[in-house]
């Protein structure tokens, strides 16, 4: 069966999202086709706002509202700038913040090293981390990458890169 182009385009767009296969993409597209107009409009508006009203902090690369100089964590005077927790994704910052015990700052890599997928050090926010190390009075770096093969490889690489700064590195 040949689908009308707008439906096929939506299915294809959904399939590009992580964790969404052809069946789930089709279910979502057909749900939106049958759903009231306001459901589709709300999704559309939310996607546009996501791209227009958010950006990444130039210091730590966490998500923030567009138009701000830095994120709330980096701007906070109550945060300990001598400690940086390195995480893979902004979702990791959210998870750590939910606990409420960490009072340092963050650095978001936006991924992990994965030679199989062609992701090397230049594809991550590693260089800005090293620049921060040179410019800020950092005493400890916590490597909070996931305990996966790629996360461990990234942590090992970072440990080697951070060795020249003489800071305490915790995994």
């Amino acid at each position: 069966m040949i689908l009308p182009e707008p439906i096929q385009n939506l299915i294809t767009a959904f399939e590009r999202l992580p964790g969404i296969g052809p069946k789930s993409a089709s279910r979502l597209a057909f749900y939106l086709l049958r759903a009231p107009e306001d459901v589709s409009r709300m999704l559309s508006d939310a996607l546009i706002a996501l791209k227009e009203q958010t950006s990444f902090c130039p210091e730590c690369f966490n998500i923030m509202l567009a138009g701000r100089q830095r994120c709330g964590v980096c701007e906070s005077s109550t945060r300990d700038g001598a400690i940086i927790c390195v995480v893979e994704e902004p979702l990791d910052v959210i998870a750590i913040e939910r606990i409420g015990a960490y009072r340092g700052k963050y650095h978001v890599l936006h991924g992990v090293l994965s030679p199989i997928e062609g992701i090397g050090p230049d594809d991550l926010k590693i260089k800005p981390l090293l620049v921060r190390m040179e410019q800020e009075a950092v005493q400890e770096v916590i490597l909070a990458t996931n305990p996966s093969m790629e996360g461990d490889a990234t942590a090992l690489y970072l440990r080697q890169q951070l060795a020249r700064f003489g800071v305490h590195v915790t995994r």
Side-chain angles (χ1 to χ4, degrees):
M1 176 171 117
I2 298 175
L3 293 172
E5 188 176 348
I7 296 173
Q8 186 57 57
N9 290 344
L10 184 58
I11 291 170
T12 301
F14 279 136
E15 285 177 347
R16 295 183 66 190
L17 297 173
I20 305 290
K23 276 182 130 177
S24 294
S26 295
R27 276 191 217 109
L28 289 169
F30 280 97
Y31 168 78
L32 290 171
L33 182 65
R34 291 184 313 269
E37 179 81 18
D38 64 319
V39 173
S40 298
R41 187 79 53 209
M42 187 171 39
L43 177 61
S44 172
D45 292 345
L47 288 170
I48 291 168
L50 172 72
K51 297 309 270 183
E52 291 178 351
Q53 298 174 17
T54 61
S55 63
F56 294 106
C57 176
E59 185 174 326
C60 73
F61 300 96
N62 192 15
I63 51 176
M64 65 178 202
L65 284 174
R68 294 185 64 184
Q69 295 293 320
R70 299 184 303 164
C71 71
V73 172
C74 289
E75 284 184 347
S76 175
S77 61
T78 62
R79 294 291 185 145
D80 185 354
I83 305 170
I84 295 178
C85 180
V86 179
V87 297
E88 293 177 17
E89 299 293 342
L91 279 173
D92 299 321
V93 173
I94 294 167
I96 294 169
E97 285 297 296
R98 271 194 205 126
I99 297 167
Y102 179 68
R103 300 306 310 155
K105 293 191 176 184
Y106 294 95
H107 189 88
V108 182
L109 296 173
H110 289 274
V112 287
L113 296 174
S114 179
I116 293 171
E117 294 180 27
I119 300 172
D122 292 338
D123 299 311
L124 306 177
K125 301 297 183 190
I126 293 174
K127 284 182 184 174
L129 173 62
L130 301 178
V131 169
R132 284 180 77 182
M133 298 302 298
E134 292 171 355
Q135 296 176 349
E136 299 174 20
V138 178
Q139 296 174 359
E140 180 179 7
V141 175
I142 302 167
L143 301 176
T145 56
N146 291 323
S148 63
M149 196 162 69
E150 293 87 357
D152 289 341
T154 303
L156 178 62
Y157 178 82
L158 288 173
R159 185 180 291 276
Q160 293 168 345
Q161 295 296 307
L162 295 169
R164 69 177 186 244
F165 297 103
V167 296
H168 183 67
V169 179
T170 306
R171 175 82 167 114

